[in-house]
Amino acid sequence: MDTAALFRARLRHLILERYPSLDRFYLESGVSKGHLSEILRGVSSPSVATLIKLAEALEVEVKDFFVFPEENRRHQAMALLED
């Protein structure tokens, strides 16, 4: 899986971890439904400003979008060692 696909999966996971549905996230975060849909489908990429807005809405840091603990066993082992 490439980095862009991992990012999209991570973003979807973070949204659904905090909100009961994507629709609820759209309503409460103020992020455009159409733009976020395009990002999640890989049709467009988010700007830095959008990444910051998403991070604020999800109460995470921008770097958290690029932490892929499920990427492979090596990354899982490294995450366990860091904890």
Side-chain angles (χ1 to χ4, degrees):
M1 196 179 280
D2 66 0
T3 303
L6 289 169
F7 163 77
R8 291 190 305 271
R10 178 75 172 151
L11 176 59
R12 182 180 299 276
H13 173 79
L14 289 170
I15 291 171
L16 295 176
E17 186 176 72
R18 181 156 174 80
Y19 291 87
S21 68
L22 290 174
D23 286 333
R24 178 60 74 183
F25 178 72
Y26 301 135
L27 294 171
E28 293 184 16
S29 69
V31 175
S32 163
K33 182 177 183 176
H35 185 55
L36 185 58
S37 174
E38 288 177 352
I39 292 168
L40 291 173
R41 289 183 291 125
V43 174
S44 70
S45 298
S47 66
V48 172
T50 300
L51 286 173
I52 292 168
K53 188 173 184 177
L54 290 168
E56 289 173 352
L58 294 168
E59 297 180 0
V60 299
E61 295 182 36
V62 171
K63 69 177 182 144
D64 293 328
F65 294 130
F66 302 97
V67 175
F68 311 120
E70 63 282 342
E71 185 175 6
N72 63 37
R73 288 186 181 194
R74 179 179 180 274
H75 286 92
Q76 292 172 351
M78 294 301 291
L80 288 173
L81 290 173
E82 289 174 3
D83 289 340

